[in-house]
Amino acid sequence: FDHKVSADHSLTKTKTMEILRSFIMLVATVLFARAAVSNAQVTSCGAQPSTINFLGSLDGRRLGFYLGLSFRTYCYDTTMNVKVTNFTTVGGGGLSGPAAAGLCSNQDIGAMSRPWLPSEGSAAEEDYIYRCKIEDMSRSAVQIDVAIGGLVVVVRKGTMADTCLAKISGLTMAQLRAIFSSTTAPRFSDLDPSCPATDIRGIGPPSASDAGVLFRNVAGFTSYSPRYQSHANDIGVQTATINDSVGIISLSLFLLGEKNGNVRAISIQDENGRFVAPTISEVGTVHNDGKTTDAGHNHDNGKASAYPLAYRLYFNLFQGTLATTRPFLEYVLSNAGTTAIAVNGLVPIPLMERSEMRNRLGLPAPRPPSYGGVCFPGTAIVQVEGKGMVAVSALKIGDVVRVSANKFDRVYSFGHFDADVVVRQYLSIHAGLELTLDVSPSHLVFTASGAVPASKIQVGDGMRLGAGSGRIVKVTKIETVTRRGAFAPFTYSGTVVVNGFVASSYVTLDSENELLNGSMMHWVSHLLVTPRRLLCRYSFENCRIETYNDEGIATWVAPFYDVSQWLVHQHVAILLVGLLPVTLFAIIAAILESTAFLIAVFAVAVVAVSIRRPKKISV
């Protein structure tokens, strides 16, 4: 149509698309209604709370908001009231963030990205219970470790700052102090003589925020530079960094570099002289030598992250309302909760520490995550459009990834997402390449003859690559390995290139079933998830946030997975009867998926032609 089409035409097209969206939503609602029931059966959510008043700063508030949203979606409809306040100085002469001030006045939960300050509270006999020394000093709180985060130093790609910092291994603590606290402006030529003699500008969070205080303490200075530009939240830091055309060095929240392809994260030198990149593996690595005292954990417990600017996030619970907040923390400390933490770009605390945190609240210890067998480990590598090579553990819903030799497609879901599980049964398939394909035995991968379960691959078989012409390479070795994490990204195409190999998004439910062999299982699985895929294609905002059960399986997938597991183990006659209506419906949905837009355009075209047809004039 030309650009002069009338408002009536646009209105008709809009109504047509709205009718189509309504139909998709109706189908999706009917198909996924059982998911809510499945959720409640997996984890005990406890009695339903009314309102939970939650207060925190920067990433603490962000994490609380996201967990509150996933908690009420996962369990039931409750209200998480996440309040936003400014940083204020309160009683005792000490600088206090909003979490401590709010918790010691009228809040249920206060989120901190640092331990309590001596001016805010003092530890009781148990070192995790704090008595308030500000506001209402009769109040006390239980401190719970929930995640590991960190600060990251970033520059915009392609700027002079990026070019200069690419010449060095990273930044030392002395250089960070000069950039963020020096009264005289440091220059890029101070970092490397070949860099321009241009002043360095540093930006970041408010100097009085938890993140600002923590960075100041770790870098070893007392006050920020007069030239330091603070932003009230991380969005402001991101915007200023991305809009920079000359070269600023930004202090932002963890994983900004992995979330935004326009910036590059800078390695930071640790106390042993090693330059450490802000990756999930480095931030999540913990050692107990009793020597390191960087920001990864409490400074007094001898445990630290390998990345110097890492820190713990704590939820402090007012003891007077534990009956209200305990169900929420039970979810946060469950396998499903740690998955939600990982989705938010943070690292969950280890399983043993979660047991300790649950014990503080009188909750049973979490059971070890089970192995669902439908996944890749967190170290698997995928190619993301605009970002390059990314670990699957850092992959996000909405990312566009390579799915074949000549195609990229969007990730609309994770069928399996469990950052915490340690799997001892991954198959590591070698084919003479730099990377091996680590995959669960039941996951479908593509060979010269089509899709087959990984467990059926043998030395000498041909594996299809996802680059160039999609050539076939011979398998040279297969071994069983232990890896951390379990991730199964679902793309619109139903495939994904992992470590260079083309793999399915799906799993076989019975590798010995001759009727449902690998290629047939891939096709059937792709058909069965068509309604969800259709929903995401035409209303993607409904798919951006997912919840996962204690097995790490997406709650919309779980009903299909349970029914399918039962069905494939029945007599072939029952299997065929069960598959027939499901397959017919899925085929109809697949037809709608491929032609829905054409139908809408055709409808608008018909209306447009009828309106433009000239009327006969009587004379």
Side-chain angles (χ1 to χ4, degrees):
F1 305 111
D2 66 47
H3 67 281
K4 294 181 179 179
V5 68
S6 69
D8 289 338
H9 295 82
S10 300
L11 183 61
T12 303
K13 184 176 180 180
T14 301
K15 287 183 177 179
T16 304
M17 293 305 294
E18 285 302 318
I19 292 171
L20 181 61
R21 275 203 190 99
S22 298
F23 171 73
I24 296 168
M25 291 292 289
L26 177 61
V27 172
T29 301
V30 172
L31 283 175
F32 307 131
R34 188 187 158 198
V37 177
S38 176
N39 293 347
Q41 293 172 342
V42 174
T43 296
S44 172
C45 294
Q48 178 175 345
S50 52
T51 297
I52 298 176
N53 292 301
F54 185 105
L55 200 60
S57 61
L58 295 180
D59 52 351
R61 182 170 67 242
R62 182 184 64 179
L63 178 62
F65 177 81
Y66 184 88
L67 287 174
L69 178 63
S70 56
F71 169 61
R72 74 168 182 241
T73 304
Y74 188 89
C75 290
Y76 31 58
D77 187 19
T78 188
T79 301
M80 286 295 293
N81 187 8
V82 184
K83 294 187 176 179
V84 180
T85 67
N86 294 321
F87 302 96
T88 55
T89 301
V90 293
L95 187 65
S96 298
L103 188 67
C104 291
S105 55
N106 56 10
Q107 298 297 301
D108 300 313
I109 300 177
M112 297 181 183
S113 50
R114 57 164 175 77
W116 285 69
L117 298 176
S119 59
E120 296 171 335
S122 58
E125 293 76 16
E126 300 88 352
D127 59 3
Y128 56 85
I129 297 179
Y130 286 82
R131 293 193 174 93
C132 291
K133 295 171 67 175
I134 55 176
E135 301 294 333
D136 185 349
M137 290 184 281
S138 67
R139 292 169 67 97
S140 59
V142 179
Q143 186 176 72
I144 303 296
D145 299 33
V146 294
I148 306 169
L151 295 169
V152 60
V153 177
V154 298
V155 294
R156 179 184 171 182
K157 290 180 180 178
T159 61
M160 180 263 294
D162 182 31
T163 303
C164 179
L165 288 171
K167 300 177 181 180
I168 59 179
S169 301
L171 292 172
T172 66
M173 288 297 169
Q175 289 170 331
L176 289 175
R177 285 194 294 273
I179 293 169
F180 290 96
S181 71
S182 176
T183 55
T184 58
R187 296 180 174 182
F188 283 99
S189 56
D190 297 333
L191 303 179
D192 187 274
S194 63
C195 295
T198 305
D199 290 352
I200 299 175
R201 293 186 296 126
I203 69 171
S207 58
S209 68
D210 284 359
V213 172
L214 186 142
F215 176 71
R216 187 188 68 200
N217 291 338
V218 174
F221 61 88
T222 56
S223 60
Y224 281 84
S225 166
R227 300 178 314 283
Y228 176 72
Q229 297 177 7
S230 65
H231 294 264
N233 53 53
D234 209 45
I235 300 297
V237 177
Q238 292 183 40
T239 302
T241 305
I242 294 168
N243 291 336
D244 174 50
S245 59
V246 179
I248 59 176
I249 296 180
S250 307
L251 184 64
S252 187
L253 295 180
F254 178 53
L255 291 184
L256 170 62
E258 293 190 39
K259 288 182 177 180
N260 194 308
N262 295 318
V263 301
R264 183 169 70 89
I266 308 301
S267 297
I268 305 299
Q269 189 180 49
D270 66 12
E271 60 181 12
N272 298 316
R274 185 171 71 101
F275 286 93
V276 184
T279 63
I280 288 179
S281 59
E282 294 287 6
V283 171
T285 299
V286 179
H287 52 87
N288 294 276
D289 58 9
K291 299 176 183 178
T292 305
T293 57
D294 62 38
H297 297 261
N298 276 329
H299 287 204
D300 59 356
N301 66 4
K303 295 187 293 183
S305 168
Y307 179 61
L309 300 182
Y311 54 77
R312 281 286 170 113
L313 279 112
Y314 309 97
F315 284 179
N316 296 278
L317 281 63
F318 171 48
Q319 286 194 297
T321 56
L322 279 179
T324 299
T325 57
R326 189 180 279 113
F328 172 55
L329 264 294
E330 182 174 6
Y331 166 74
V332 171
L333 296 171
S334 70
N335 294 332
T338 57
T339 296
I341 289 170
V343 169
N344 198 46
L346 298 168
V347 180
I349 61 174
L351 182 65
M352 290 301 295
E353 293 188 41
R354 280 199 285 136
S355 297
E356 178 187 343
M357 297 304 123
R358 292 174 70 96
N359 184 58
R360 291 180 182 181
L361 296 170
L363 299 172
R367 61 177 179 78
S370 66
Y371 173 55
V374 288
C375 39
F376 306 101
T379 52
I381 302 297
V382 295
Q383 184 179 359
V384 180
E385 195 171 52
K387 295 183 180 180
M389 298 302 180
V390 173
V392 71
S393 57
L395 193 63
K396 307 296 180 187
I397 291 175
D399 282 345
V400 177
V401 301
R402 181 177 289 279
V403 296
S404 66
N406 54 7
K407 184 179 180 181
F408 284 78
D409 218 338
R410 174 177 276 184
V411 175
Y412 69 90
S413 175
F414 282 90
H416 199 141
F417 194 115
D418 191 338
D420 212 28
V421 68
V422 176
V423 179
R424 307 184 190 281
Q425 300 160 292
Y426 277 123
L427 296 179
S428 186
I429 301 175
H430 300 248
L433 303 179
E434 180 181 354
L435 296 175
T436 63
L437 176 62
D438 296 341
V439 61
S440 58
S442 59
H443 206 100
L444 298 172
V445 296
F446 284 88
T447 66
S449 58
V452 299
S455 61
K456 295 294 184 180
I457 299 291
Q458 297 180 358
V459 172
D461 287 349
M463 298 280 290
R464 186 169 298 281
L465 295 183
S469 59
R471 66 187 177 94
I472 303 297
V473 293
K474 296 292 184 181
V475 174
T476 59
K477 177 183 176 183
I478 302 174
E479 58 184 337
T480 302
V481 296
T482 299
R483 297 286 187 265
R484 185 183 183 91
F487 303 86
F490 281 16
T491 66
Y492 289 150
S493 300
T495 59
V496 60
V497 175
V498 178
N499 286 11
F501 299 86
V502 182
S504 171
S505 293
Y506 314 117
V507 62
T508 183
L509 299 176
D510 185 356
S511 60
E512 304 303 323
N513 191 309
E514 295 183 4
L515 178 63
L516 292 176
N517 59 36
S519 294
M520 176 65 76
M521 192 69 228
H522 172 79
W523 179 78
V524 170
S525 298
H526 197 59
L527 277 179
L528 287 176
V529 298
T530 299
R532 177 72 176 193
R533 198 167 58 247
L534 195 60
L535 168 67
C536 297
R537 279 190 186 275
Y538 291 100
S539 185
F540 190 71
E541 290 306 313
N542 291 298
C543 298
R544 286 194 179 276
I545 296 179
E546 283 190 324
T547 57
Y548 307 88
N549 64 22
D550 271 5
E551 305 294 325
I553 297 174
T555 49
W556 72 266
V557 172
F560 292 114
Y561 188 76
D562 294 342
V563 172
S564 300
Q565 281 277 25
W566 175 84
L567 194 60
V568 297
H569 292 97
Q570 305 308 307
H571 189 275
V572 64
I574 298 176
L575 175 61
L576 289 173
V577 171
L579 280 178
L580 184 60
V582 175
T583 304
L584 287 175
F585 176 80
I587 290 174
I588 294 172
I591 294 172
L592 281 174
E593 180 183 24
S594 60
T595 61
F597 182 72
L598 294 177
I599 292 172
V601 171
F602 178 77
V604 175
V606 170
V607 173
V609 171
S610 65
I611 292 176
R612 288 189 173 190
R613 183 178 298 157
K615 295 180 179 180
K616 292 183 178 180
I617 301 175
S618 299
V619 293

